[in-house]
Amino acid sequence: MKHTYDDEASTLGDAFLKISALFFVGILILAFTTDPIATGTKEGERAPLLDGAAYAGNGWSSFDFSEQFDSSWDGNSSSDWVMIEFMDTDCPYCVQSAELFGEASEIFRDGNEQWNGAQVNFFASATELDIKGHDTSRSEIAAFRDKSTGFECAGQDCANRGGSAHQFVTYVDDIDQENMDEWDIRGTPTYFLIQPDGIIAWVSNGGTNVGDVNGDGDQNTFIDAIVLLVTQDDAKGGA
Amino acid sequence: MQRAVLEMSTNWLLLVYGLPIVIGLLLILPWTSAIFFPLSERFASLSTKRGRLLSGLNLTLLGGLAVSVQTHWIHAKVSEGANFCASDTIFSCDDVIGNAQYNTMPILDIPWGMIGFVTFTALLFLSYSISKEPGATWAKNFLDLGTLVTFAGLGVIGLLVSYEIEMEKLCQFCTTAHIANIVALAGFWQLRSMHGEKAWQE
């Protein structure tokens, strides 16, 4: 019986084995020396960027969201946490939630002696939902924040919403819904608590201000999430 | 102090990855054959133009593969929160590779470093196979494919450079991989032109 050998196939097989070996060495190096964290909007993932101009009471200006985070955070209480609310100034639930959100932004601060934990910086990403009657603008977002008159928020003058002016909340213009899409927001309001290293610690259920903090099935508000998760310094005294 | 050490090790790493690409480029350039002539006794493949081109191509692609692994490694480390080559100057690969908006391929959402790693591995397979069996029936197809892939790579490079311009930052490791692709295109192109001619048979 005559055997026919294909030298060309042998060359290909040989080359394939050698180059594959090289590839798997690369994969092994990556697998054994890194532990990557995906960017996403689930708890434990790295928060995406928040883009757009920001308003903190003194006109709209560009801001760099990444400056909020300290990649070398070691769990100490001196680094700031971040709370973000995705909202629409014409969303009735967001208007209802405004009082609590404003109060929280005043409580969880370094300057408050009643709070013994790390400072939480509050942001609101204000969008315009594709719903009839939801027409917003930067002026309306500013009016919502400052509780000033002249603009309509969910059927009432923005000045008549509950609570006081949000002097410690930075509002981000997301009228083009870019952040909504990037963060995969399914309803407003939705809240995210983010650790100082940029990892998401807690997310509320879409369209509500509650979510499970510790996996016990109980629904906790964003205030519970801050109290339970934000690093606290015992030496400062009780909350 | 730690930053200075990091910058030094970054430069050394770039040198290690850049060296095979520079040697590969010298082997591929048409007017540098005299440099390698003295080495042809030790390395027989360097005595012919085809051999020099294939050796240069293999070295370049190996450098490209290695630097792509490095960029993917940086991507993973930055996602963990670590710093590798962060800098306030224009040269800051952490800022480029760590930018969540631009550091993955659109639609597929795969990190660019991994795209480079897989592409350079495939190109190295093509190049290495041809260097082992230049007279094979598939050699021409492999050269066509290598030329096509590296040519398509120019589009990807253009896109990534546009990201860097937008960020006003430059990633040295990414640039090294881009250069490897351009050198490899020159190599594949020349080999493709040579195939079937007398010089190929030498």
Side-chain angles (χ1 to χ4, degrees), chain A residues 39-58:
Chain A
T39 297
T41 52
K42 296 189 183 80
E43 288 165 13
E45 293 185 330
R46 185 169 297 283
L49 291 175
L50 199 64
D51 277 332
Y55 176 76
N58 292 311

Side-chain angles (χ1 to χ4, degrees), chain A residues 8 23 25 39 42 44 60-62 90 95 166 180 196 210 215:
Chain A
E8 291 185 5
F23 181 77
V25 166
T39 297
K42 296 189 183 80
W60 291 89
S61 58
S62 61
D90 289 313
V95 174
H166 290 172
M180 284 270 290
V210 296

